[in-house]
Amino acid sequence: MKAFLGMGLLGSNFVRALIKQGETVQVWNRTASKAQELEKEGAKAFANVADAVKGATEIHITLKDDATVDAVLKAAEPGLTPGAVIIDHTTTSKEGAVQRTREWKEKGFTYQHAPVFMGPINALESTGYMLVSGDEAVITALTPSLSKMTGKLIHFGAEAGKAAAMKLAGNAFLVCLTVSLKDTLTLSKSMDVSLDELLQLFSMWNPGTLISGRLQRMAAPDQSKPSWELNMARKDTQLFLDATQQAGNHLVLMPVIAALMDEFINKGFGNHDWTVIGK
């Protein structure tokens, strides 16, 4: 039997998927009505979190942050079955994941951090990506169960907390990507480029294929042999800024990027590859 704590959009759909797979699931949420709503779909809701975990061999968590996870687990502890496995899908700090792995082991329980790149639809359809790291034996034992919840289970080795770090790195990329797309949309609007035209461009040219090579170029010890000079990249950046300003619009990231480029140009890197600004 499984317990699931945290019935937000992600957690509730995880529960729905587990029920469809034939699992018996006990659920809890701070706002009790969200847990009770799942009873009509076959879950058993509890108002008290310690009651929700009684008899469960796997306790899954989808909560807000480190503090919330710690508080909920403390409240649930009196009801935990000896030897139960706590599987935390919450995006947390690396330090928090490491600390909980150690502390719950000392208490006689297994804590496994398994953050996800999954939205609510992914959770319902068991698609997307789930990340794990830590004790090899624990991960091997949990793999059959976790694999049913996700499209791909990605193992990042034996270091506790590595999965948490990888999740944060990925989220940082997604946050920056979204803001960069905001700038792209603003610039396009400023130049009378429609959304359909922009989508047409990206349907034929996929910049996502450049990520691996770009990361390797940025990490290389020498950017003195450019494929795109910093001076030229700065020129284009100014064109972005000018076109947007002329249209009375405002870019978010580009002014910061322009200032960073100027800093490196002033240091004598203008003829280097523009990825030198990643140093």
Side-chain angles (χ1 to χ4, degrees), residues 79-93:
L80 290 174
T81 299
V85 179
I86 301 163
I87 304 169
D88 186 5
H89 305 291
T90 308
T91 299
T92 70
S93 67

Side-chain angles (χ1 to χ4, degrees), residues 230 234 237-238 241 253-267 277:
L230 176 56
R234 179 63 180 89
T237 301
Q238 192 60 46
L241 294 167
L253 283 181
M254 289 303 164
V256 177
I257 294 170
L260 183 61
M261 287 177 167
D262 288 341
E263 177 185 334
F264 275 81
I265 289 171
N266 291 335
K267 291 179 180 178
I277 67 172

Side-chain angles (χ1 to χ4, degrees), residues 188-216:
S188 298
K189 178 182 177 182
S190 301
M191 301 186 300
D192 298 321
V193 174
S194 70
L195 175 60
D196 285 342
E197 289 170 326
L198 194 60
L199 290 171
Q200 181 184 10
L201 170 64
F202 288 125
S203 72
M204 296 181 289
W205 170 61
N206 179 12
T209 61
L210 304 176
I211 292 174
S212 179
R214 187 60 49 82
L215 281 171
Q216 292 178 39

